[in-house]
Amino acid sequence: MDFKLTEEQELIKKTARKFAIEHLEPGVIERDDLAKTPYEQIKMMGELGFLGMMVPEEWNGAGMDAVSYVVAMEEISRIDASAGVIMSVNNSLVCQIFLDWANDAQRQKYLTKLATGEYIGAFSLSEPQSGSDASNMHTFAEKDGDSYILNGTKNWITNGLTSDVLMVMVPTTKGIGYKGISCFIIESGIPGFSRGAKENKLGIRGSETCEIYFDNCRVPAENMVNEAGQGFRIAMKTLNGGRIGIAAQALGIAQAALEKSVAYAKERKQFGKTIGTFGAIQSKIAIMATNIEASRLLTLHAAQLKDEHKSYAKEAAMAKQFASQTAVDAARECVQIHGGYGYMQEYGVERLMRDAKITQIYEGTSEIQEVVIARSIMEE
Ligand code: CAA
């Protein structure tokens, strides 16, 4: 296995890092405090090709590979994990469904705009009663001539408030479990579609999350992706790739925690010495760095398998499970190293701790990743 980045991937890393430092770092603490989304910066990310990274150029994308996507996601999330998740959902959930499952007319109409950031996409699977048990849906889409009438509620929708297009999983046949779920492309703003209030979250406060309501919402049958009954498989297969993106997001948060810890340990003096000379601090930094290296290798490995069109569900789950734990641990230790200052908002360290937690929850909790890993191993 060779994880050396190509010249092009190095360039993407440099570009993403420069963009994040110049355009995302200013105001990141304030945006978190006020729960403000970096709209302007997201638009710029679209112009740079960061919102449709793996979409071929013929559909207006950047035509890059999954390794490049991981590298860029890490850099963006290292500075602003909220921008990271907006980017991740648009790329690896929404654009990816168009690439893998939609027809050319659907790609022409929507993907060409999603790939440039002209449209922002959202992915809608969860419902109030179904998070990990994702197929236990109460929403329903009733066929009526050449349309479907949707009713019900979806929740925890990242990009929900500003999305132009949503990929929504809804049952079209009752009583046959996941085999009755279908996937629809839904344009926000159509009659019967509405959004709830912005959720007030612990972390990633610069990304918007809300509920989505369907009240006799009529959607043309041509907006179904692939065939009726394929929705759950589409969601599961797509989430495998999404989990690589979240692993990269976690990696970015952990890397930020490490860098801030090292800088502070070299500068802060106690008992007449810089705290980095104390074994207790060195041990924290060593464990952080080791786990980050392991997370990066797992994440790049999953991305490489995806690029090689090999199966990667288990590896993506391993990457997400490990990198998210690493992010949570690294951010917590970073606050500890900073002591009282770490607990203060202005140091930008407590935010890492709050942002890290979600990586163990969304796109499948750590416990669900363990289910995916164990099932895969037992089937081998
Ligand atoms: N990859 C590919 N296919 C998969 C799969 C995977 N990881 N997991 C399940 N499937 C397929 C199965 O092969 C099966 O299809 P076939 O009939 O074609 O074989 C079908 O899905 C049903 O599988 P199961 O019987 O195993 O389903 P289950 O009900 O036992 O659930 C689960 C499996 C792994 C627990 C699944 O429900 C799951 O992943 N839950 C977590 C849901 C999740 O990740 N939600 C994230 C919400 S989206 C989000 O967070 C985005 C955001 O805003 C940031």
Side-chain angles (χ1 to χ4, degrees), residues 106-117:
Q106 292 167 335
R107 289 178 184 144
Q108 191 57 48
K109 189 166 178 191
Y110 301 106
L111 180 59
T112 50
K113 295 191 167 99
L114 286 159
T116 59

Side-chain angles (χ1 to χ4, degrees), residues 302-320:
Q304 208 172 65
L305 289 173
K306 182 171 188 286
D307 285 334
E308 289 166 359
H309 306 288
K310 296 183 178 152
S311 71
Y312 61 90
K314 177 185 77 182
E315 289 77 7
M318 285 176 164
K320 181 179 182 291

Side-chain angles (χ1 to χ4, degrees), residues 34-308:
L34 304 174
K36 276 170 72 175
T37 302
Y39 295 117
E40 258 178 52
Q41 292 89 331
I42 297 298
K43 203 169 161 25
M44 290 165 82
M45 283 164 68
E47 285 156 13
L48 282 170
F50 288 156
L51 296 185
M53 289 195 71
M54 294 168 287
V55 177
E57 287 171 17
E58 65 170 308
W59 303 112
N60 288 350
M64 293 174 195
D65 55 13
V67 168
S68 304
Y69 169 59
V70 161
V71 163
M73 265 297 293
E74 178 185 340
E75 291 301 331
I76 297 293
S77 305
R78 174 176 161 271
I79 300 293
D80 185 348
S82 295
V85 73
I86 297 167
M87 171 175 164
S88 169
V89 167
N90 202 72
N91 272 281
S92 46
L93 298 184
V94 183
C95 288
Q96 196 67 43
I97 293 185
F98 278 100
L99 281 179
D100 294 343
W101 302 87
N103 60 39
D104 278 359
Q106 292 167 335
R107 289 178 184 144
Q108 191 57 48
K109 189 166 178 191
Y110 301 106
L111 180 59
T112 50
K113 295 191 167 99
L114 286 159
T116 59
E118 185 183 338
Y119 280 179
I120 294 295
F123 175 85
S124 172
L125 176 71
S126 307
E127 298 185 4
Q129 76 294 335
S130 67
S132 293
D133 183 10
S135 65
N136 176 29
M137 296 181 183
H138 290 179
T139 48
F140 192 67
E142 180 100 49
K143 185 112 200 278
D144 182 39
D146 57 1
S147 356
Y148 283 86
I149 315 263
L150 273 64
N151 278 292
T153 300
K154 291 283 183 185
N155 70 343
W156 303 314
I157 311 302
T158 303
N159 297 347
L161 278 170
T162 43
S163 52
D164 303 281
V165 174
L166 298 93
M167 279 294 181
V168 186
M169 313 303 146
V170 187
T172 46
T173 306
K174 288 184 179 160
I176 54 170
Y178 73 86
K179 292 186 174 153
I181 296 172
S182 303
C183 173
F184 291 94
I185 304 162
I186 297 195
E187 293 178 36
S188 61
I190 58 172
F193 172 95
S194 61
R195 321 175 204 243
K198 180 156 85 175
E199 303 285 0
N200 192 7
K201 304 192 298 265
L202 173 74
I204 53 158
R205 292 168 54 79
S207 86
E208 295 168 344
T209 309
C210 69
E211 287 192 330
I212 296 289
Y213 311 112
F214 299 108
D215 181 10
N216 290 323
C217 179
R218 185 177 286 275
V219 177
E222 66 185 28
N223 278 27
M224 181 183 281
V225 177
N226 202 269
E227 288 169 14
Q230 288 300 322
F232 194 68
R233 290 186 194 101
I234 293 174
M236 291 296 114
K237 290 198 167 160
T238 306
L239 277 165
N240 293 332
R243 288 163 185 168
I244 299 177
I246 300 305
Q249 183 197 28
L251 189 53
I253 297 170
Q255 180 66 31
L258 174 65
E259 289 173 23
K260 284 178 190 288
S261 298
V262 170
Y264 190 74
K266 283 164 123 174
E267 165 210 309
R268 172 73 169 165
K269 283 192 174 156
Q270 292 291 279
F271 308 105
K273 292 178 187 170
T274 51
I275 60 170
T277 59
F278 299 130
I281 303 293
Q282 288 178 1
S283 169
K284 290 183 196 303
I285 287 173
I287 290 168
M288 252 189 237
T290 306
N291 287 337
I292 289 170
E293 194 61 25
S295 300
R296 188 171 290 114
L297 294 176
L298 282 169
T299 309
L300 287 172
H301 178 47
Q304 208 172 65
L305 289 173
K306 182 171 188 286
D307 285 334
E308 289 166 359

